[in-house]
Amino acid sequence: MNNKFCNPTNNEITQKSIDPEIKGNEEKEKWTAALIIAKELAEEKNTEIIKELNYYRNFFEISLDLFVTIGLDGIIADVNTATENALGLPRKKLIGKEFSTYVIESHKAQAGHQQIIREGAIVDHELNLKHINGTTTPFLFNASLYKDNEGKIIGVFAAGSDITTTRKAEDDLIHLKNNFTQLVKQRAEELIIVNEELAFQNEEKDKRAAELIIADKELAFQSEEKADRAAELIIADRELAFQSEEKADRAAELIIANKELAFQSEEKADRAAELIIANKELAFQNKEKDKRAAELVNANKKLAFQKDKIEEFNNQLEFRVMERTAELESLNKELEAFSYSISHDLKAPLRHIAGYVSLLLKKYGNLFPKEGEHYLDMISFSVENMGELIEGLLHLSRSSRIDMNKRFLNMNEIVDTLIQPVKEQEIDRKIEFKIEPMPLAFGDLEMMRSVWANLIENAVKFTRKKDLTKIVIGATENENEIIYYIKDNGVGFDMNYASKLFTVFQRLHLRKDYEGTGIGLATVQRVITRHGGKIWAESKVGEGATFYFSLINRKESEKTWN
Amino acid sequence: MELKTILYVDDNPLDIELTLEAIKENHILNPIIVANDGLEALEYLASNGVYKNRKPGNPSMVLLDLKMPRMDGLEFLAIVKKDENFKRIPIIMLTSSQEKNDLIKSYNLGINAYVVKPLNFLALINIIKQIIIFWTLINELPPE
């Protein structure tokens, strides 16, 4: 416990008192007596000092203000009772602690402490202290430096007084002041509004005054008008009197008009009667109309019936077509069976005849006289002949039976491949072929090849007796068809028989002059007909012949086939 | 060397006689078995009926006509070509038909050649010679 500057001990005072040096015995007694006196005096003085100290300490303790001594390091050195009460802690716990820990504004407290050390004092420094129970109390501190006798700074002495009531009074004052300011502001605003209202009312007043002046003027004007109207009324009265007279006149006219009306009513009745008649007429016409309608319905029914009939006919027709088609199909099959029969059955016996004649000649030929041998030769020749006929007929029937595989054909190519072997075969003859460029044909390759083969064969055959054979092959084209032709400079034919040219087994020349079956041109005609074309020939005896055949033009056939 | 057998199937006795004459003309000595229709030909192949006791083995080739009673050439072909034991025997059609349908059907059924009987007997002799030489001498037969 360090209280040496505020609570000095008796020893210290005693030591200071007996400091002077005592010299000699003589003076010893003197000095002893004096010492005794001095001691008595000192003791007396000490008692007084202690009394005084206690007296001041009491002041320190009983003060209602806080008294605190703080070291330069901020550590509490001593506190009074008021401080203990303010903080809720006994002195023992407070001494030796950092003072700012009990202050809410600890930084402000430390700054204040520094200011005291720097400037020597601080005045009216407001700080809130923390009580151990959590409450805070505002204090106003005044503090100054505490120095010893040599003037050395020992610490800070601070005194604080509770300003709770002052603070409350201040707050109330601020509150009152605020309220007052608010009230003044409000009143001022109200006054401004009242003023504005007053200004407006003044304006209105002025307006009304102006209006009153105008109203007065209007009233004056209306008075004048009234006078005018009165004058007009007089005139109007006169007019009314006049109109009453007019009314009487009109009444008379009305009577006349009524008579007219009565007459018109009679007319109306007449018209009504006419209308009744007209209505009757209309009714009659309506009936007629109904009748016609009924007739129309009948006619429609008849038409519908006829339509049904037509449909029925159509159906029958379709059925018949189907029937015929089926018949045709079966006929075709029969025909096929027939050709098969020819190829197999008819050819077989012929083959046998040929075979046995051959065997007969081979084995026993030397036994026959010359004439007998000739007969056998004739049998063989006839067999060969008949074989050719059968082959020709088979070809003919095949050309009208087999399915066509139509496509675009290069006629020049077909002709070229056909005349090449002819040239080789007839190497001894002078034959001049002139082949012109021809348009493409749309048809079956095999069939078209057989057409050209037959025609070329004929041309070569019937020019046999010419020294120089000239054969021209070409075509002409128009929008709908292409006409191909083959012209020779051969023996020609009589145009009187032209119609027989394409008939089966029909020959226009002697067999001994020009061999052939008479089936070739018939086959050609079949093929051309199946392609939708025509064939014909022009000739003069001895001047050659020209065969023509037409095919549907490529563009046309495209339309037809696509 | 043993000569290879030829099975000849035809119903017309005149055709048979002429064909055999043509073979003889060519001095061909191979044994020729003549069956009068497809059924008889099958009996021969299977060693049934009248052929019960024939020498075993397949013929080296079959000359086959189309149109025959009981079983025709196409029916016979259909059966033979499905039979594991006979399907590799070369079959040459010898017929007077040139019908497209007959040709197609025959080839579809797996024939090896199709020959049309010529009208001319001398031509027949020549054709027979070529057929038999080719199929019995030139052509290598399938192993049995």
Side-chain angles (χ1 to χ4, degrees):
Chain A
M1 191 180 200
N2 187 5
N3 58 353
K4 64 184 172 203
F5 54 91
C6 59
N7 193 16
T9 60
N10 292 341
N11 289 345
E12 277 175 5
I13 298 166
T14 310
Q15 276 173 1
K16 272 183 187 174
S17 309
I18 56 167
D19 202 33
E21 216 176 292
I22 301 149
K23 293 170 186 170
N25 284 332
E26 270 180 34
E27 282 188 24
K28 208 178 182 180
E29 275 173 33
K30 207 174 139 186
W31 281 107
T32 303
L35 269 175
I36 292 162
I37 294 162
K39 199 184 173 187
E40 278 172 2
L41 275 173
E43 270 170 10
E44 206 174 309
K45 187 86 182 162
N46 255 348
T47 314
E48 260 173 53
I49 286 168
I50 287 163
K51 254 188 194 168
E52 202 174 334
L53 276 174
N54 281 335
Y55 176 73
Y56 285 119
R57 179 84 203 170
N58 273 340
F59 277 138
F60 186 77
E61 289 298 341
I62 64 166
S63 168
L64 289 177
D65 284 344
L66 314 187
F67 291 136
V68 184
T69 52
I70 304 165
L72 289 178
D73 50 3
I75 301 296
I76 294 169
D78 195 9
V79 296
N80 67 349
T81 313
T83 306
E84 284 178 325
N85 293 338
L87 299 178
L89 287 167
R91 182 177 295 140
K92 274 190 217 168
K93 289 222 169 152
L94 289 170
I95 290 170
K97 298 278 165 60
E98 164 66 39
F99 84 98
S100 62
T101 47
Y102 305 103
V103 182
I104 297 285
E105 306 90 345
S106 54
H107 288 291
K108 191 185 173 187
Q110 282 162 6
H113 184 250
Q114 290 303 313
Q115 194 186 330
I116 296 161
I117 293 165
R118 211 166 48 242
E119 295 172 10
I122 196 164
V123 178
D124 290 344
H125 197 61
E126 198 180 314
L127 294 171
N128 286 290
L129 297 189
K130 286 187 256 187
H131 192 277
I132 192 72
N133 66 10
T135 59
T136 61
T137 316
F139 283 88
L140 198 64
F141 283 93
N142 288 305
S144 55
L145 284 177
Y146 179 89
K147 296 175 186 170
D148 63 8
N149 290 338
E150 282 91 42
K152 191 189 167 198
I153 297 166
I154 298 169
V156 170
F157 175 75
S161 56
D162 188 340
I163 53 163
T164 309
T165 3
T166 320
R167 180 70 60 75
K168 196 175 175 293
E170 266 173 17
D171 285 351
D172 287 351
L173 211 74
I174 288 163
H175 185 66
L176 276 172
K177 197 185 159 196
N178 285 344
N179 276 352
F180 180 72
T181 311
Q182 187 66 26
L183 270 173
V184 169
K185 205 181 157 199
Q186 216 174 315
R187 287 291 169 273
E189 278 168 4
E190 279 169 14
L191 272 171
I192 288 162
I193 292 162
V194 169
N195 278 339
E196 276 170 9
E197 181 72 9
L198 271 171
F200 177 72
Q201 283 175 7
N202 280 337
E203 264 173 43
E204 283 288 296
K205 232 189 227 161
D206 289 350
K207 258 191 216 168
R208 291 288 167 273
E211 278 169 13
L212 272 171
I213 289 161
I214 293 163
D216 278 348
K217 278 180 188 165
E218 181 72 8
L219 269 172
F221 176 73
Q222 281 176 7
S223 293
E224 270 171 39
E225 282 283 295
K226 236 186 212 161
D228 287 355
R229 290 289 168 279
E232 277 170 16
L233 271 172
I234 291 159
I235 294 161
D237 278 348
R238 280 185 197 151
E239 180 72 7
L240 268 172
F242 175 73
Q243 280 176 5
S244 292
E245 272 168 42
E246 281 284 296
K247 237 187 209 162
D249 289 355
R250 291 291 168 276
E253 278 170 17
L254 269 172
I255 290 159
I256 295 160
N258 276 339
K259 279 181 189 165
E260 180 71 9
L261 269 171
F263 173 74
Q264 282 176 6
S265 290
E266 273 171 39
E267 284 283 297
K268 235 190 215 159
D270 289 355
R271 292 287 168 281
E274 280 170 15
L275 269 173
I276 289 162
I277 294 162
N279 276 338
K280 279 181 187 163
E281 179 70 9
L282 268 173
F284 174 74
Q285 283 175 5
N286 276 338
K287 269 187 202 167
E288 284 288 298
K289 234 191 224 159
D290 288 349
K291 257 193 216 166
R292 293 283 169 282
E295 280 170 13
L296 269 173
V297 170
N298 271 342
N300 277 339
K301 275 183 191 162
K302 267 185 202 165
L303 269 173
F305 177 72
Q306 281 168 2
K307 212 174 152 192
D308 286 350
K309 266 271 153 97
I310 287 169
E311 243 167 64
E312 202 182 308
F313 278 138
N314 275 341
N315 288 341
Q316 278 176 3
L317 211 70
E318 242 167 74
F319 180 70
R320 270 189 217 163
V321 167
M322 272 163 63
E323 239 177 19
R324 287 279 176 284
T325 311
E327 274 171 33
L328 274 172
E329 269 167 20
S330 87
L331 273 174
N332 261 342
K333 272 182 191 158
E334 258 174 59
L335 201 75
E336 248 171 88
F338 175 68
S339 359
Y340 191 88
S341 173
I342 286 173
S343 68
H344 195 265
D345 296 352
L346 211 65
K347 273 162 85 183
L350 205 61
R351 201 170 51 242
H352 301 153
I353 295 167
Y356 285 107
V357 169
S358 284
L359 278 175
L360 195 62
L361 271 173
K362 209 172 158 61
K363 287 188 176 174
Y364 310 107
N366 52 350
L367 298 179
F368 284 101
K370 264 245 148 89
E371 210 180 9
E373 224 175 290
H374 170 70
Y375 295 157
L376 285 175
D377 279 346
M378 283 307 107
I379 293 171
S380 289
F381 178 74
S382 295
V383 165
E384 293 277 334
N385 209 350
M386 194 175 166
E388 272 175 40
L389 280 175
I390 290 170
E391 282 303 322
L393 279 173
L394 272 175
H395 195 246
L396 177 67
S397 89
R398 209 177 289 141
S399 69
S400 46
R401 203 174 72 241
I402 62 162
D403 291 333
M404 290 198 289
N405 177 20
K406 280 189 169 186
R407 56 197 166 90
F408 288 104
L409 306 171
N410 185 336
M411 292 296 226
N412 280 83
E413 230 174 69
I414 295 173
V415 169
D416 285 345
T417 58
L418 288 168
I419 62 173
Q420 210 48 48
V422 171
K423 280 179 182 167
E424 283 164 22
Q425 238 171 41
E426 308 285 338
I427 197 135
D428 301 332
R429 285 176 56 186
K430 280 186 188 169
I431 305 177
E432 206 177 272
F433 281 104
K434 191 183 170 204
I435 317 292
E436 289 162 358
M438 291 179 278
L440 294 179
F442 191 70
D444 181 273
L445 175 64
E446 278 313 309
M447 288 189 175
M448 221 35 85
R449 202 201 297 276
S450 81
V451 165
W452 281 116
N454 267 296
L455 293 176
I456 291 167
E457 193 190 323
N458 274 355
V460 171
K461 193 197 307 180
F462 292 106
T463 51
R464 190 181 290 154
K465 288 172 181 174
K466 283 275 167 185
D467 291 335
L468 174 62
T469 297
K470 286 183 175 176
I471 296 171
V472 183
I473 294 173
T476 59
E477 185 180 11
N478 66 39
E479 209 174 293
N480 301 315
E481 54 183 10
I482 305 165
I483 298 165
Y484 298 91
Y485 59 84
I486 174 166
K487 183 181 166 66
D488 66 60
N489 62 340
V491 67
F493 59 87
D494 187 340
M495 281 296 278
N496 286 325
Y497 304 115
S499 60
K500 294 188 174 179
L501 267 177
F502 306 102
T503 314
V504 188
F505 299 135
Q506 193 69 53
R507 303 171 50 87
L508 299 186
H509 300 276
L510 294 174
R511 191 186 292 270
K512 72 176 175 63
D513 293 331
Y514 300 103
E515 76 289 343
T517 57
I519 297 170
L521 282 178
T523 308
V524 169
Q525 193 191 32
R526 288 260 175 107
V527 170
I528 297 301
T529 309
R530 279 194 79 187
H531 278 76
K534 273 182 254 166
I535 184 161
W536 68 98
E538 283 168 6
S539 178
K540 259 187 189 171
V541 178
E543 288 183 24
T546 309
F547 281 83
Y548 302 89
F549 66 90
S550 67
L551 291 176
I552 300 165
N553 198 337
R554 192 185 153 186
K555 290 140 209 155
E556 273 302 304
S557 61
E558 271 174 345
K559 282 178 208 158
T560 317
W561 286 87
N562 287 340
Chain B
M1 191 184 92
E2 197 179 321
L3 287 166
K4 290 161 184 166
T5 308
I6 295 166
L7 176 61
Y8 172 40
V9 195
D10 199 334
D11 65 318
N12 190 311
L14 271 65
D15 269 317
I16 294 167
E17 190 185 342
L18 287 169
T19 305
L20 291 178
E21 280 293 338
I23 290 168
K24 208 198 282 173
E25 284 291 320
N26 283 306
H27 311 289
I28 289 163
L29 301 173
N30 298 54
I32 312 283
I33 310 296
V34 179
N36 285 313
D37 59 15
L39 223 53
E40 196 187 329
L42 278 180
E43 274 182 0
Y44 173 82
L45 288 179
S47 304
N48 281 336
V50 288
Y51 301 103
K52 212 174 178 175
N53 299 316
R54 78 164 173 96
K55 242 174 99 180
N58 283 341
S60 61
M61 61 180 284
V62 178
L63 282 171
L64 184 65
D65 190 19
L66 269 177
K67 209 184 162 200
M68 292 177 293
R70 297 204 297 175
M71 182 191 285
D72 67 22
L74 294 174
E75 289 172 290
F76 170 78
L77 263 175
I79 293 165
V80 166
K81 288 296 172 188
K82 272 185 205 153
D83 193 304
E84 192 51 42
N85 295 319
F86 310 138
K87 69 180 182 186
R88 284 177 294 274
I89 303 168
I91 295 178
I92 291 91
M93 302 306 290
L94 185 64
T95 170
S96 53
S97 170
Q98 258 175 300
E99 281 297 303
K100 209 173 160 184
N101 260 343
D102 288 336
L103 275 154
I104 290 171
K105 283 176 186 166
S106 303
Y107 275 108
N108 282 347
L109 286 167
I111 57 156
N112 300 76
Y114 193 105
V115 178
V116 178
K117 286 177 191 169
L119 196 65
N120 190 308
F121 182 68
L122 297 177
L124 179 71
I125 293 172
N126 190 32
I127 282 170
I128 291 291
K129 178 181 169 186
Q130 290 189 43
I131 294 173
I132 293 175
I133 286 174
F134 181 83
W135 289 103
T136 59
L137 293 175
I138 300 173
N139 184 53
E140 196 67 40
L141 287 173
E144 279 201 42

